Amino acid sequence: MIRLAQICSIVCILFLTFDANSQVKAPQNGKRPNQLVITNAIIVDGNGTPAEGPVNIVIKQNRIAEIAAPSKDAEYLKTADAIIDASGKYVLPGLINMHGHLQDERAGKPMPFDYQYKLWLGCGITTIRDVGSEISKALVEKEKSKTGEIAAPRIFLYMWFPGGNNETEIRSEVRDLKAKGADGMKIWSIDHDTFRIAADEAKKQGLKIAHHVGVEDTNAWDDAAFGTTSIEHWYGVPDAALHGVQHLPPDFNYNNELYRFRYAGRLWRETDPEKLKLVLQKLVDSNVAWDPTFAIYEASRDLQRAITQPWFKDYLHPTLEAYFAPNPENHGSFFFGWTNTDEVFWKENYKIWMKAVKDFSDMGGIVTTGEDAGFIYEMYGFGLLRELELQQEAGFQPREVIAHATGNGAKVLGKAAELGRIKVGYLADLIIVNGNPLENLHILFPTGINPTLDEQRGGKGGVEWTIKDGIPYHAPTLFAEVKEIVRQAREKK
Ligand SMILES: [Zn+2]
């Protein structure tokens, strides 16, 4: 009995000591320590190289200061303000969402930015490229994120290009975006001549161009000719590889979204594979990146999957929910009488599209990841994680997909020298994941993707810590906060 009591007290003291230590060294959610150390991490870098480790990562303020073999008595452990033990966990660069829209309302109904930000951070997104939102608000949000005043990913603003009636106007509109503080501009539904002039002025102003390339006056050939930075979505790529124009029924009207999306699902099948190869090669040669946003179209190939996503239960804001419901007034809410035939066409459409993205990459093209959430049953954060899975379906290995979501995003943003990698001197944007995403990309989801996985992880799955600019955010805490935002909003409703 005595011996047992002695053992007990030793164990208790050990526990207390350990607990006291972890109390002192545990990072605080949303507060940047002077020196944060992540120990025993297996790292997956943003350049597609194999995982390696374990290593200790030392972060000073907002930069990675040292990456070293684990050692129990290293000086930096004594001077650290916070330590995260990453034993059994994987550390990746923070994910870059190349296609986001800052939204604090949908169809006039309010929804706080905070809701978006917490979902993005909770899903491991440390950078978003905003490709069109309300400029005045976006500029304020960008600044607040930069100073750490709000918990939000880094924000790069590619502002809507408003167009112009003549060359003088077009050039002045581009210069105006630059003067407002744009990192780039977003164009869509643009005619050939306006595009040529706007792109020329953008080059002079050092503005990058994201093109939602549609079935319109311009297509991928123009992107190659005029110096587009990245193609968003896809339409203009197959459109450039047709013989003539797509076959459409005589009563087709592009403004009818049901028709537009229905026949978009029959576009890739009309491409000439040989001509498509030429288009892809031309894009690669012209250094145009491709941000395919597979995830945002998934409702078209499987509507039932889209409307029953498990995270809707706790995390779908009623404002988004109302926006998603079929309504011709809301962009992307077009699912009236969507048929199995539509889905079958879309499944074929995806196959050809995915192969084109893989071929583009194999030819040397840069593929990135974007989600375009806030439309078509796509939730912030979850949309990007689904994009990663769909890129694996397109034929990429998980390691390559992670490079698309990190290093490639940084390249396209022009920030490859300090973002998207786990390297000394780089900005401390990192995520700590409960498990190995190379084995299973489902691992990145917080919850709801697989009941066995949820059980194994005790409901604490997915990304555990998202570190943005040296500030650690505890993902389960963020999700609990989102749940509360949603609960209160539902109550008010
Ligand atoms: Zn968009």
Side-chain angles (χ1 to χ4, degrees):
M1 285 302 280
I2 294 169
R3 276 179 64 191
L4 193 64
Q6 275 174 336
I7 292 166
C8 258
S9 65
I10 290 165
V11 171
C12 284
I13 287 164
L14 275 176
F15 265 117
L16 281 173
T17 323
F18 174 76
D19 204 30
N21 255 331
S22 61
Q23 286 290 322
V24 174
K25 301 288 191 183
Q28 280 182 18
N29 179 50
K31 195 157 180 272
R32 183 195 284 137
N34 273 322
Q35 192 175 305
L36 169 66
V37 180
I38 303 166
T39 58
N40 305 306
I42 304 291
I43 56 174
V44 181
D45 203 354
N47 57 347
T49 51
E52 52 185 307
V55 295
N56 287 357
I57 303 167
V58 183
I59 296 165
K60 286 190 177 158
Q61 289 289 325
N62 67 337
R63 298 263 171 192
I64 299 170
E66 192 179 338
I67 300 170
S71 140
K72 283 199 175 73
D73 42 33
E75 193 55 32
Y76 56 73
L77 288 172
K78 291 170 205 152
T79 54
D81 308 284
I83 296 174
I84 298 174
D85 179 9
S87 302
K89 295 171 187 173
Y90 278 65
V91 175
L92 282 54
L95 306 179
I96 300 179
N97 176 6
M98 293 294 278
H99 196 117
H101 296 278
L102 292 183
Q103 291 165 341
D104 66 345
E105 59 80 34
R106 307 304 295 126
K109 293 198 183 89
M111 183 179 69
F113 280 132
D114 214 24
Y115 169 71
Q116 262 192 315
Y117 297 155
K118 284 180 168 150
L119 284 172
W120 275 334
L121 287 172
C123 288
I125 296 166
T126 51
T127 295
I128 68 132
R129 184 177 66 162
D130 175 289
V131 283
S133 62
E134 209 182 309
I135 293 176
S136 54
K137 284 185 185 173
L139 283 165
V140 174
E141 295 301 304
K142 180 184 173 173
E143 191 55 28
K144 282 188 191 164
S145 166
K146 199 174 172 183
T147 58
E149 189 186 329
I150 53 170
R154 290 175 197 281
I155 298 170
F156 289 86
L157 294 179
Y158 282 38
M159 297 175 181
W160 291 117
F161 169 64
N165 294 311
N166 53 52
E167 178 156 357
T168 315
E169 265 181 44
I170 293 165
R171 289 190 186 276
S172 121
E173 289 290 357
V174 175
R175 286 196 294 269
D176 188 49
L177 294 183
K178 176 72 180 180
K180 281 184 172 131
D183 300 295
M185 66 180 192
K186 164 75 174 299
I187 57 172
W188 79 327
S189 279
I190 195 164
D191 73 75
H192 181 273
D193 289 335
T194 308
F195 189 8
R196 181 176 49 77
I197 298 162
D200 181 62
E201 190 61 35
K203 196 184 280 173
K204 287 181 185 157
Q205 300 301 323
L207 281 181
K208 293 179 180 294
I209 301 172
H211 186 196
H212 170 134
V213 55
V215 175
E216 55 194 34
D217 196 39
T218 55
N219 62 34
W221 294 113
D222 300 294
D223 290 297
F226 300 149
T228 292
T229 311
S230 67
I231 282 182
E232 301 305 299
H233 317 305
W234 54 276
Y235 311 94
V237 180
D239 201 43
L242 301 175
H243 291 295
V245 295
Q246 187 187 359
H247 293 87
L248 295 170
D251 60 340
F252 181 92
N253 182 335
Y254 198 69
N255 286 352
N256 176 332
E257 285 206 345
L258 173 63
Y259 259 42
R260 190 179 346 149
F261 281 85
R262 173 168 287 158
Y263 287 94
R266 302 169 196 200
L267 176 52
W268 277 106
R269 69 203 316 270
E270 290 200 20
T271 55
D272 170 351
E274 288 308 312
K275 200 171 175 191
L276 181 57
K277 254 188 230 163
L278 297 176
V279 175
L280 297 177
Q281 190 61 58
K282 183 73 182 166
L283 290 172
V284 172
D285 295 344
S286 310
N287 203 25
V288 180
W290 195 350
D291 188 30
T293 67
F294 289 123
I296 193 62
Y297 299 94
E298 209 179 9
S300 297
R301 76 168 188 178
D302 192 349
L303 182 58
Q304 184 265 322
R305 180 189 208 282
I307 63 180
T308 57
Q309 294 175 69
W311 27 89
F312 284 178
K313 180 172 151 283
D314 286 336
Y315 306 124
L316 180 60
H317 196 285
T319 291
L320 261 189
E321 189 178 8
Y323 188 86
F324 289 161
N327 180 348
E329 297 296 312
N330 297 341
H331 174 50
S333 304
F334 54 83
F335 291 96
F336 308 94
W338 197 250
T339 66
N340 192 52
T341 304
D342 290 321
E343 295 191 1
V344 169
F345 272 113
W346 263 96
K347 281 170 189 166
E348 183 199 30
N349 208 44
Y350 261 88
K351 275 190 193 146
I352 310 168
W353 174 22
M354 284 176 159
K355 185 178 181 301
V357 173
K358 180 69 168 68
D359 288 348
F360 169 79
S361 172
D362 289 347
M363 291 172 183
I366 296 181
V367 177
T368 59
T369 57
E371 67 177 10
D372 206 9
F375 304 95
I376 326 181
Y377 301 104
E378 201 66 81
M379 272 180 66
Y380 315 106
F382 290 92
L384 190 83
L385 298 182
R386 182 61 186 152
E387 178 69 14
L388 268 57
E389 296 187 333
L390 290 168
Q391 292 204 359
Q392 183 180 3
E393 187 181 323
F396 297 100
Q397 297 179 53
R399 212 164 83 220
E400 295 174 288
V401 173
I402 288 165
H404 295 176
T406 57
N408 279 9
K411 271 183 212 161
V412 174
L413 289 168
K415 298 288 169 190
E418 58 177 3
L419 268 186
R421 298 284 305 276
I422 305 179
K423 281 177 84 171
V424 171
Y426 271 56
L427 288 163
D429 284 15
L430 299 166
I431 58 175
I432 300 171
V433 181
N434 279 316
N436 181 359
L438 300 178
E439 186 191 337
N440 180 5
L441 285 171
H442 284 349
I443 289 278
L444 292 166
F445 281 80
T447 179
I449 191 106
N450 175 337
T452 357
L453 194 59
D454 281 353
E455 204 179 302
Q456 280 165 14
R457 306 191 293 188
K460 286 190 276 177
V463 175
E464 185 170 338
W465 289 97
T466 296
I467 300 165
K468 173 241 169 179
D469 213 26
I471 308 171
Y473 295 99
H474 187 237
T477 302
L478 295 172
F479 278 107
E481 288 167 359
V482 169
K483 195 172 169 181
E484 185 54 23
I485 292 173
V486 169
R487 191 191 64 77
Q488 286 186 19
R490 283 176 184 167
E491 219 163 64
K492 241 190 244 165
K493 201 183 127 204

